Amino acid sequence: MLTEKIKKKLKNIVGSKGFIDTPEDLSAYSYDAFVKEATPQLVLLPESTADVAAIMAIADQEGIPVTARGAGTNISGASIPVNKGIVLSLTRMDQILEVSTPNRYCIVQPGVVNGDLQACLAKEGFFYPPDPGSYMVSTIGGNVAQNAGGPRCLKYGVTVDYVLSMEVVLASGEVIRFGSRNVKDVTGYRLSSLFCGSEGTLGIVTEITLRVVPLPEATRTILAVYNDLDDTADTVADIIGSGILPAALELMDKTVVNAVEDSAHIGLPRHAEGLLLIEVDGVEEAVEKEMRTIVEKAKAHGAQEVIEARTAAERDDVWTARRSAYGVFARLAPDCIVEDATVPVSHVPDMIRHIRQIADRYQLRIGILAHAGDGNMHPLISTDTNDKEEWQRVEAASREIFELAMSYHGTLSGEHGIGLAKTDYLPMAIDDATQAFMTRIKQCVDPKGILNPGKFV
Amino acid sequence: MLTEKIKKKLKNIVGSKGFIDTPEDLSAYSYDAFVKEATPQLVLLPESTADVAAIMAIADQEGIPVTARGAGTNISGASIPVNKGIVLSLTRMDQILEVSTPNRYCIVQPGVVNGDLQACLAKEGFFYPPDPGSYMVSTIGGNVAQNAGGPRCLKYGVTVDYVLSMEVVLASGEVIRFGSRNVKDVTGYRLSSLFCGSEGTLGIVTEITLRVVPLPEATRTILAVYNDLDDTADTVADIIGSGILPAALELMDKTVVNAVEDSAHIGLPRHAEGLLLIEVDGVEEAVEKEMRTIVEKAKAHGAQEVIEARTAAERDDVWTARRSAYGVFARLAPDCIVEDATVPVSHVPDMIRHIRQIADRYQLRIGILAHAGDGNMHPLISTDTNDKEEWQRVEAASREIFELAMSYHGTLSGEHGIGLAKTDYLPMAIDDATQAFMTRIKQCVDPKGILNPGKFV
C-alpha cells in the first residue's frame, strides 16, 4: 500500500527532485501516444541502479504496481499505469557510459535519447540502426522495452538484434546482469531477448550494452511516384523478392502524401496515388548499382517519375516529411490510431488492396503508410474516440485488418507492441498453451504481479 | 521410472524403427565431440511433433530424464545424457517443410542437416548464414539448441539472429508456438531467443522458421601470410576497427597451419608464423574495393605474401583446409580440447600473446585457431585425458584462458555452449543472482528437471 509512510521512504531514495505527487504533475504521466489514460499515484525518477533496486524492494514488499516509462512516446499504451501505483520514469538515468567503436559497442543508461546516442556515435563515424519514428525524443530504455523498429530496420534489424547485454532490476529489487560486450556469446540463457520487448512486465532495465555499426560510405534516396497504388505495392514485393535489400523502403498513399505536404511544403507530388521512398546505403559503387536496378524495377511497374534527393538537405526534407506522417495525420481529427499489422512482403499488395476496401466499407478515413519492405503496415485511422458509433467502426475495421494479416501468416504488431491496444486481439496470434506459457514466465519472474500490471500477461 | 511397461508404451509411439535399447546401439548415443560420455537407457527417434509430445508426457509422468540430440557434433558435451534416461534423437524429423525466397524464410524440422538446407537454398540463389564447422553433418535443431556460430557469423550473425519462429514441446508434453514468418514481430514475449541456445534444458524444438538471405553476387577469398603472429593479430584488430566487415576473418598459427597441411596437401605456407583467411562478399564493385583496403592493411602490418583463391575450387580447398583444422588436430593425440573464449576484437592481439605464454608455461601443445574477426578464439589443446597429470595442466591452462578473457570483458563461450565443458567456470561469467534467475526460469519451465539434467541449470 502506498501510505504516507511508504511515500516518505520512497522520497528518501530519490530526493525531492525525483519525487512527483501533485495531481497536476502526475497527470503528465497518465498517457502516452495511445488513446487511453490512467493517472499514477506517484512518479519517481531514480538516478541510479541502486535507486531502482531500493524502490522495487519497497514496491514488492508493499505490493505496489510499478510501470516503467521512458519518453512515453509509444503508441500502444504500454506505459499507461492502468492499475495506478508508481510510474518509474528512467529519464534522469541518461548517461552514455562508454563508446568503443573499435569493438563496436556502446554502454548506455536507459534514459539516453536515441537521437542523442546517434549524434554521439556519428562523431566517430558509427550509428545505432534502430530508428523508430520517435527517435528524436524516445529513450533507449523505451526502445528496448518495446523492441522498437523503424524504417532502417528493413536492412539492419530491430532493437533486439543490437542488445548485447543488460542490467535488470527484478520485481524483488534483485539486480541481474547477462550477456557481454561480444556479439558471439552462448554463456547461459539468452535473457536479453526475453526482456527486450517485454514492455516492462518482467523487470526494469537499468543499463544496456548495444552493438553499433559503421556509417555507410554512401547513401542514395529516391522517391518513386505512381498513378496506381497497386503498382506501388507490386514494386515493393518485386524489389525484395529479387534479393535487393534497401536501407529503407517506405510506402505512402495519396491521403498520407497530401496530409504530409499540407504541413511540410517540400513539393511532394500531390497527384500521386502511391509514393515509395527508397534508400540504399553501403559502398559507393554498390549503392549506384543497386539503385540502378531499383529504378528499373520501379519504372517497369509503372512509376511515372523518379525523383532523387540530391543533397543532404533534400534527403533530410524527404525523411522529415515521412517521419512527420503520423503526427500530421494525428492532427486531422481528435484522435489517430496507427495500426501495425505485419505480413510477409509478398502479401503487401493484397494487404493494401484489402485495407482500402475495409476503409470504404466502414466509411473511415484510413491513410496507408508502411515500412513496406518488411511488410510492416501502418494504416493511419483518423477518428474521434468520443464518437462511440465511429469508434465501433474503427474497432471492427482494426479487427478485420488483423484477421487479414493473420490469414497471410502475419503478426498483430511488427514494432509498436501489444500494450493496451492489442491485448484483446492476442488470441488471434497466440494460442492458449503459448499464452499460458507466457503467463507462467511472468508469474515466475514477478510473482506478485507488480510490474506494469493489466497488460498482455 | 523406465520400467518394461513404460518402455513398451514408448515403443508403441515410435515403432521398432524408432526404438533403440540394445547396449551396442545405445553406446553410439553416449558421446558427442567432447571428451566425456554416459550411456542412455533408451534412445527414441520420433517422426513427428505428436510423437515428441506423447513421449514427453510419459517422461514427465514418470520423471525420466530426456536429452535431445541432433547429430551429436557439439564439442561441449551438451548432448551427453549424464543422468541416463532417454536420448531423444530428432534425426528422423528431417523435412524441409517450406522455402519461400520471395519472403526470405524457410520452415524446417529439427533433423534437417545444415548442409542439406544450404544445398536446397542455393538452388534458389539463397543461403542460411550460420555455418558451424560441423555444418555438413550437424542438424538445424542442434544448431538452434546450441545457438551455433561459424566463420560467416562475423558479418551475418549467429543462429539466434535467424530464428523467426519455433514450435516447442515442453517437458509436460504441451506444445507451444511463438514468433511468425516476419522479421518484425513484437507480439508477446520473444521466446524463440530464450529456447535458442538453451541446450535442450527448456524444451524440445520440433519445428523452426528461419530467415534466409540472398547469395552474394561476388566473393573474394585471400590468405595473408605472416612471419610474426603478433602482426597477424594486429591486422585483425585494425581491419575490424576501421569499419570493414568481411564475411570471414580466420586466424591460424604455425602449429595449426602445419597440422592442416600435413593432411590437406593444398600448399599452405608451412613457414608462416601466422595466417589469415579473409573473405569478402557482396556486390562485385564493393567486394573489389573492400578487398583492396584489406590487402593494404595486411601489408602495412607486415604480411609477407597475399595469396588469392582465384577459382571456386581453390576457394573450396582453402575452406576445406580451415574447416578440417579441428579434426586434424584431434587426430594428433588421443584427445583434443577446443576452447571457445571470446573477447572484444581489440583484445585479440593480447589474447594470442597470452595464450602462447600459457602454452609454454604449462608445456602444452596449443594450436591457435580463431574466428578472429569477432574475437572468438579457438585454442586447440592436444592431450590425453587418461594422463591425469597432463589433464590437470590442461584444466589449469583452460582456466587461465577463461580468466584472461573475462579480464577483457569477454565471455566463456562464443558459440560452443556450456554443456559439461564449462559448467564449473560459469561463476566467472555469471553472478549468483543471475545464475539463480536462470535456475528459476528452468524450474518454472521444467519443474521436475527432466530436460537434459546435470547441465548448467
Side-chain angles (χ1 to χ4, degrees):
Chain A
M1 271 264 291
L2 204 44
T3 59
E4 286 309 310
K5 195 175 149 204
I6 295 296
K7 277 181 158 183
K8 205 171 159 193
K9 270 196 189 178
L10 291 165
K11 193 170 188 171
N12 278 340
I13 296 168
V14 292
S16 310
K17 266 181 70 183
F19 187 90
I20 294 174
D21 70 342
T22 63
E24 57 273 31
D25 291 334
L26 288 175
S27 72
Y29 295 85
S30 66
Y31 57 87
D32 52 24
F34 185 57
V35 292
K36 298 196 175 167
E37 52 188 85
T39 307
Q41 294 160 274
L42 190 62
V43 174
L44 301 176
L45 298 98
E47 279 193 312
S48 67
T49 302
D51 284 359
V52 176
I55 292 166
M56 289 312 305
I58 293 172
D60 189 56
Q61 179 80 33
E62 301 294 324
I64 304 163
V66 176
T67 300
R69 181 184 177 94
T73 53
N74 92 81
I75 41 194
S76 62
S79 46
I80 297 173
V82 280
N83 286 17
K84 317 252 178 206
I86 297 167
V87 159
L88 200 63
S89 168
L90 282 308
T91 48
R92 287 210 299 175
M93 292 178 67
D94 63 352
Q95 298 302 301
I96 298 172
L97 301 172
E98 188 187 342
V99 173
S100 173
T101 55
N103 291 313
R104 302 190 178 198
Y105 70 79
C106 66
I107 305 178
V108 301
Q109 288 190 313
V112 169
V113 170
N114 183 313
D116 292 345
L117 178 61
Q118 304 294 357
C120 169
L121 293 170
K123 278 187 235 153
E124 304 199 25
F126 276 67
F127 75 116
Y128 165 68
D131 58 342
S134 58
Y135 83 103
M136 286 304 290
V137 283
S138 65
T139 63
I140 297 295
N143 293 174
V144 166
Q146 300 296 110
N147 189 12
R152 231 158 32 192
C153 298
L154 168 59
K155 176 172 180 176
Y156 289 99
V158 296
T159 303
V160 70
D161 300 315
Y162 289 86
V163 176
L164 296 175
S165 169
M166 272 186 190
E167 178 187 78
V168 174
V169 178
L170 299 177
S172 60
E174 284 168 294
V175 182
I176 62 174
R177 286 182 153 269
F178 38 76
S180 66
R181 299 175 186 188
N182 306 279
V183 173
K184 280 186 178 169
D185 188 346
V186 291
T187 305
Y189 293 145
R190 200 171 186 86
L191 297 173
S192 51
S193 309
L194 180 65
F195 286 94
C196 186
S198 66
E199 303 187 1
T201 62
L202 296 179
I204 310 293
V205 177
T206 46
E207 191 183 297
I208 310 125
T209 303
L210 294 168
R211 189 160 66 87
V212 299
V213 296
L215 280 166
E217 169 185 301
T219 301
R220 282 187 64 183
T221 309
I222 61 161
L223 292 174
V225 183
Y226 295 79
N227 284 342
D228 185 294
L229 189 55
D230 290 342
D231 292 343
T232 322
D234 289 341
T235 307
V236 173
D238 188 15
I239 289 172
I240 302 297
S242 72
I244 299 171
L245 200 55
L249 179 37
E250 304 283 309
L251 180 148
M252 288 179 253
D253 75 354
K254 193 173 195 168
T255 311
V256 176
V257 168
N258 279 278
V260 168
E261 182 59 18
D262 284 346
S263 152
H265 309 295
I266 59 162
L268 290 182
R270 288 181 178 276
H271 62 281
E273 289 294 331
L275 190 67
L276 292 180
L277 163 52
I278 311 177
E279 188 158 287
V280 176
D281 67 12
V283 173
E284 192 162 356
E285 291 81 352
V287 165
E288 292 304 315
K289 192 168 175 177
E290 287 183 341
M291 191 51 102
R292 245 186 342 262
T293 310
I294 287 171
V295 169
E296 277 165 22
K297 283 191 184 294
K299 289 189 171 159
H301 283 283
Q304 302 297 301
E305 200 184 351
V306 172
I307 307 163
E308 175 147 15
R310 301 213 166 265
T311 62
E314 282 182 12
R315 195 178 150 241
D316 280 352
D317 276 352
V318 168
W319 274 111
T320 303
R322 162 59 188 89
R323 290 188 185 281
S324 74
Y326 169 65
V328 166
F329 221 81
R331 288 193 291 274
L332 297 181
D335 298 295
C336 176
I337 298 291
V338 49
E339 290 305 356
D340 182 32
T342 302
V343 294
V345 67
S346 69
H347 302 298
V348 164
D350 283 338
M351 276 298 285
I352 287 178
R353 260 190 297 278
H354 280 102
I355 291 172
R356 292 162 78 190
Q357 289 165 8
I358 289 169
D360 286 349
R361 194 144 29 82
Y362 287 100
Q363 293 179 283
L364 291 169
R365 178 173 188 163
I366 302 187
I368 297 183
L369 181 70
H371 302 313
D374 50 25
N376 188 194
M377 315 301 297
H378 282 344
L380 298 162
I381 313 179
S382 282
T383 186
D384 178 351
T385 51
N386 290 321
D387 179 341
K388 291 232 164 65
E389 184 277 325
E390 187 180 81
W391 182 246
Q392 279 177 355
R393 280 185 283 130
V394 169
E395 291 205 307
S398 296
R399 179 169 286 272
E400 277 201 36
I401 292 171
F402 295 139
E403 282 168 353
L404 195 60
M406 296 316 297
S407 77
Y408 293 125
H409 297 284
T411 186
L412 294 180
S413 177
E415 58 183 16
H416 295 170
I418 299 304
L420 292 174
K422 289 175 190 158
T423 311
D424 291 346
Y425 305 109
L426 264 187
M428 288 184 191
I430 297 179
D431 64 29
D432 289 350
T434 309
Q435 177 68 41
F437 183 79
M438 290 187 187
T439 303
R440 205 159 119 195
I441 294 284
K442 163 72 172 173
Q443 286 169 346
C444 162
V445 177
D446 174 21
K448 293 188 182 170
I450 60 171
L451 287 169
N452 203 2
K455 300 298 163 64
F456 72 93
V457 280
Chain B
M1 271 263 292
L2 203 45
T3 60
E4 286 308 310
K5 196 176 149 201
I6 296 298
K7 277 180 159 184
K8 205 172 159 191
K9 270 195 189 178
L10 291 165
K11 193 169 188 173
N12 278 340
I13 297 167
V14 291
S16 310
K17 264 182 73 183
F19 187 89
I20 293 173
D21 70 343
T22 62
E24 56 272 33
D25 291 334
L26 289 175
S27 72
Y29 295 85
S30 65
Y31 57 88
D32 52 23
F34 185 56
V35 292
K36 297 195 177 167
E37 51 188 86
T39 308
Q41 294 160 273
L42 191 62
V43 174
L44 300 176
L45 297 98
E47 280 192 312
S48 67
T49 302
D51 285 358
V52 175
I55 292 166
M56 288 313 305
I58 293 173
D60 189 55
Q61 179 80 33
E62 301 295 325
I64 304 165
V66 176
T67 301
R69 181 183 178 95
T73 53
N74 91 79
I75 41 193
S76 63
S79 48
I80 297 173
V82 282
N83 287 15
K84 316 256 179 203
I86 297 168
V87 160
L88 200 64
S89 167
L90 281 309
T91 49
R92 288 211 299 174
M93 292 178 67
D94 62 353
Q95 298 302 301
I96 297 171
L97 301 171
E98 189 187 341
V99 173
S100 174
T101 55
N103 291 314
R104 301 191 179 195
Y105 70 80
C106 65
I107 305 178
V108 301
Q109 289 189 313
V112 169
V113 170
N114 182 313
D116 292 346
L117 178 61
Q118 303 296 357
C120 169
L121 293 170
K123 279 186 236 153
E124 304 199 25
F126 275 68
F127 75 117
Y128 165 68
D131 58 343
S134 58
Y135 83 102
M136 286 303 289
V137 284
S138 65
T139 63
I140 297 296
N143 293 174
V144 166
Q146 300 297 111
N147 188 13
R152 232 159 31 194
C153 298
L154 167 59
K155 176 171 178 176
Y156 289 99
V158 297
T159 302
V160 70
D161 300 316
Y162 290 85
V163 176
L164 295 175
S165 168
M166 273 187 192
E167 178 186 78
V168 173
V169 178
L170 299 177
S172 60
E174 283 169 295
V175 183
I176 62 174
R177 287 182 152 271
F178 37 77
S180 66
R181 301 176 185 187
N182 307 280
V183 173
K184 279 185 178 169
D185 188 347
V186 291
T187 305
Y189 293 145
R190 199 171 188 85
L191 297 173
S192 52
S193 308
L194 181 64
F195 285 94
C196 186
S198 66
E199 303 188 0
T201 61
L202 296 179
I204 311 291
V205 177
T206 48
E207 191 183 297
I208 310 125
T209 302
L210 294 168
R211 189 160 65 87
V212 298
V213 296
L215 279 167
E217 170 185 300
T219 301
R220 282 186 65 185
T221 309
I222 60 160
L223 291 175
V225 182
Y226 294 80
N227 284 342
D228 184 295
L229 189 55
D230 290 342
D231 291 345
T232 322
D234 288 343
T235 307
V236 172
D238 188 15
I239 290 172
I240 303 297
S242 73
I244 298 173
L245 201 55
L249 179 38
E250 303 284 308
L251 179 148
M252 288 179 253
D253 74 356
K254 192 174 196 169
T255 312
V256 175
V257 168
N258 278 277
V260 168
E261 182 59 18
D262 284 345
S263 151
H265 310 295
I266 59 161
L268 291 182
R270 287 182 179 276
H271 62 281
E273 289 294 331
L275 191 67
L276 292 179
L277 162 52
I278 312 177
E279 189 158 287
V280 176
D281 68 11
V283 174
E284 193 161 356
E285 292 81 352
V287 165
E288 293 303 315
K289 191 168 178 177
E290 287 183 339
M291 192 50 100
R292 247 188 336 265
T293 311
I294 286 171
V295 169
E296 276 165 24
K297 284 191 184 293
K299 289 189 172 159
H301 283 283
Q304 301 298 301
E305 201 184 350
V306 171
I307 307 164
E308 175 147 15
R310 301 212 167 266
T311 63
E314 282 182 11
R315 196 180 149 238
D316 280 351
D317 276 352
V318 167
W319 275 110
T320 304
R322 162 60 188 86
R323 289 188 185 279
S324 74
Y326 169 65
V328 167
F329 221 80
R331 288 194 291 276
L332 297 181
D335 298 296
C336 177
I337 298 292
V338 49
E339 290 306 355
D340 184 31
T342 302
V343 293
V345 67
S346 70
H347 302 298
V348 165
D350 283 338
M351 276 298 283
I352 287 178
R353 259 190 298 279
H354 280 102
I355 290 172
R356 292 163 78 190
Q357 289 165 8
I358 289 168
D360 287 347
R361 193 146 31 81
Y362 287 100
Q363 293 180 284
L364 291 169
R365 180 173 186 161
I366 301 187
I368 297 183
L369 180 71
H371 303 313
D374 49 26
N376 187 194
M377 315 302 297
H378 282 344
L380 299 163
I381 313 180
S382 282
T383 186
D384 178 352
T385 51
N386 290 320
D387 179 341
K388 292 230 164 67
E389 185 278 326
E390 187 181 80
W391 182 247
Q392 279 177 355
R393 280 184 283 132
V394 170
E395 291 205 308
S398 296
R399 179 169 286 272
E400 276 201 36
I401 292 170
F402 295 139
E403 282 168 353
L404 196 59
M406 297 316 296
S407 77
Y408 294 125
H409 296 284
T411 185
L412 293 181
S413 178
E415 58 183 16
H416 295 171
I418 299 303
L420 292 173
K422 289 176 189 158
T423 312
D424 292 347
Y425 305 109
L426 265 186
M428 287 183 192
I430 298 179
D431 65 28
D432 290 349
T434 309
Q435 177 67 42
F437 184 79
M438 290 187 187
T439 303
R440 204 159 120 195
I441 294 283
K442 163 72 173 173
Q443 286 169 346
C444 163
V445 177
D446 175 22
K448 293 188 183 172
I450 61 171
L451 287 168
N452 202 4
K455 300 297 162 67
F456 72 93
V457 280

